[in-house]
């Protein structure tokens, strides 16, 4: 079924901005024009594409059209960039990506910063746990993702990036109060712990693997990677921290490695739409290079 390009771009903008009014401002049209374009698309599809909530949300049918719309907008940007090469007048193409918080705080932004300034892209980064970023690929919300899932999402290609290594740490004072001297890791089960959010299972999995027991301790939730590490450094609890954020503190004696011979390794992959796009190819090259410089080999 045919969709007009302006309508497809309107759908991606509406989902990104969240409201008809915000989409209208970005597209320089009226909110009623945005609404009419969406209704026209729904009539062509014979299905409701967008739930009129605040913010709006695509329906299951809307996810299908959204994936198509993002691909069309991306390829249109590639064509314009090639046609206008050297003229500096091509519009910037939105590139939505999904990245886990720890990668975002330690190595991923360097990948974007190293990309050429004339790439012609603006990045819309969605922060999501590495085990859940593939859901954003399936829905069409993003065109590429850092994920811990090696199985390719339908319509995507996948490649290994590397292993992100974590260490269980706490302050010396916390260890003395809760874990004894010498440190008894069995007592971690009852010691206050810091989790990123309610999807974060790294601490629980570390305990199960090391002690075979289920955690029963009080838990803090700190949903920001840098603040998560700072909370542990302030002595509120123990947690599993990326080595990029804790090795210097361990060497300085401000943190104690609770099980230095038992790091937690998370294998990371790059999943992207399986279509030929010079822009997406260059983003993937940048991500691949930054991962190689900062992660352990798979």
């Amino acid at each position: 079924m045919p969709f007009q390009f302006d309508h497809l771009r309107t759908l991606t903008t509406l989902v990104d901005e969240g409201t008809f009014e915000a989409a209208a401002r970005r597209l320089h049209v009226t909110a009623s024009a945005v609404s009419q374009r969406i209704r026209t698309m729904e009539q062509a599809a014979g299905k409701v594409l967008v739930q009129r909530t605040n913010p709006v949300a695509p329906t299951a049918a809307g996810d299908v059209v959204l994936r198509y719309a993002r691909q069309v907008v991306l390829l249109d940007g590639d064509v314009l960039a090639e046609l206008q090469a050297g003229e500096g007048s091509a519009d910037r193409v939105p590139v939505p990506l999904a990245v886990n918080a720890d990668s975002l705080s330690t190595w991923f932004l360097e990948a974007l910063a190293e990309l050429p300034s004339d790439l012609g892209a603006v990045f819309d980064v969605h922060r999501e746990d590495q085990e859940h970023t593939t859901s954003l690929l399936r829905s069409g919300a993003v065109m590429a993702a850092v994920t811990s899932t090696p199985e390719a999402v339908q319509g995507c290609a996948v490649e290994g990036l590397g292993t992100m290594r974590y260490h269980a740490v706490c302050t010396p004072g916390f260890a003395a109060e809760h874990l004894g001297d010498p440190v008894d890791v069995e007592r971690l089960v009852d010691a206050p712990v810091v989790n990123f959010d309610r999807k974060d299972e790294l601490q629980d999995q570390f305990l199960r693997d090391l002690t075979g027991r289920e955690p029963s301790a009080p838990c803090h939730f700190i949903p920001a990677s840098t603040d998560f590490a700072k909370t542990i450094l302030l002595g509120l609890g123990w947690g599993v921290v990326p080595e990029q954020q804790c090795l210097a503190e361990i060497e300085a004696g401000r943190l104690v490695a609770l099980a230095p011979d038992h790091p937690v390794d998370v294998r990371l992959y790059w999943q992207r739409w399986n279509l030929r796009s010079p822009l997406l190819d260059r983003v993937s090259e940048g991500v691949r290079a930054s991962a190689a410089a900062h992660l352990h080999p798979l």
Side-chain angles (χ1 to χ4, degrees):
M1 63 192 67
F3 292 114
Q4 296 182 33
F5 176 77
D6 282 348
H7 294 180
L8 293 171
R9 185 173 60 179
T10 297
L11 176 63
T12 64
T13 304
L14 175 60
V15 172
D16 290 343
E17 296 295 327
T19 68
F20 286 85
E21 291 77 13
R25 287 193 295 271
R26 181 168 150 190
L27 294 169
H28 305 292
V29 298
T30 64
S32 61
V34 173
S35 180
Q36 181 58 49
R37 291 175 184 179
I38 298 301
R39 283 198 299 270
T40 299
M41 294 182 71
E42 291 175 331
Q43 290 170 359
K47 296 179 181 292
V48 175
L49 301 180
V50 176
Q51 301 176 39
R52 271 65 169 180
T53 53
N54 190 10
V56 300
T59 63
D63 284 341
V64 175
V65 179
L66 181 63
R67 286 196 298 270
Y68 170 68
R70 290 202 190 279
Q71 292 175 9
V72 171
V73 171
L74 174 64
L75 294 176
D76 178 77
D78 285 335
V79 171
L80 287 178
E82 188 170 351
L83 290 175
Q84 300 175 0
E87 299 178 11
S89 57
D91 291 337
R92 289 184 176 268
V93 179
V95 179
L97 307 170
V99 187
N100 62 305
D102 290 336
S103 292
L104 195 59
S105 295
T106 55
W107 65 270
F108 187 82
L109 290 179
E110 291 188 18
L112 302 186
E114 292 297 322
L115 293 171
S117 58
D118 62 351
L119 185 65
V122 289
F123 299 104
D124 181 7
V125 177
H126 298 243
R127 189 189 67 190
E128 182 57 274
D129 184 88
Q130 65 270 5
E131 296 180 0
H132 300 276
T133 48
T134 50
S135 64
L136 297 177
L137 278 171
R138 292 189 184 93
S139 70
V142 301
M143 58 182 63
V146 176
T147 175
S148 60
T149 304
E151 296 80 19
V153 172
Q154 184 177 5
C156 292
V158 61
E159 62 178 296
L161 288 176
T163 298
M164 194 157 191
R165 179 157 293 171
Y166 295 75
H167 296 280
V169 295
C170 70
T171 63
F174 182 92
E177 179 180 356
H178 295 279
L179 306 178
D181 185 15
V183 168
D184 180 1
V185 293
E186 293 287 337
R187 295 173 62 177
L188 283 174
V189 174
D190 300 313
V193 62
V194 184
N195 280 343
F196 183 85
D197 57 22
R198 285 167 176 78
K199 296 178 183 177
D200 181 8
E201 297 184 356
L202 285 181
Q203 283 68 226
D204 290 358
Q205 190 59 53
F206 170 79
L207 273 181
R208 294 188 191 103
D209 292 344
L210 193 65
T211 69
R213 300 170 62 189
E214 291 294 326
S216 58
C219 181
H220 305 287
F221 293 98
I222 309 294
S225 183
T226 301
D227 294 335
F228 175 93
K230 183 177 180 180
T231 300
I232 295 169
L233 189 59
L234 290 172
L236 272 73
W238 72 275
V240 179
V241 178
E243 66 178 14
Q244 294 95 329
Q245 294 177 319
C246 70
L247 288 185
E249 304 293 348
I250 293 172
E251 292 176 2
R254 289 186 288 269
L255 289 176
V256 175
L258 299 175
D261 296 330
H262 294 274
V264 177
D265 287 343
V266 176
R267 298 164 68 91
L268 296 178
Y269 301 85
W270 179 245
Q271 294 216 32
R272 52 161 285 186
W273 289 345
N274 192 15
L275 78 168
R276 298 188 64 180
S277 162
L279 191 157
L280 195 51
D281 287 346
R282 294 177 82 177
V283 172
S284 297
E285 290 169 5
V287 170
R288 190 181 304 119
S290 186
H294 294 89
L295 301 179
H296 292 270
L298 286 174

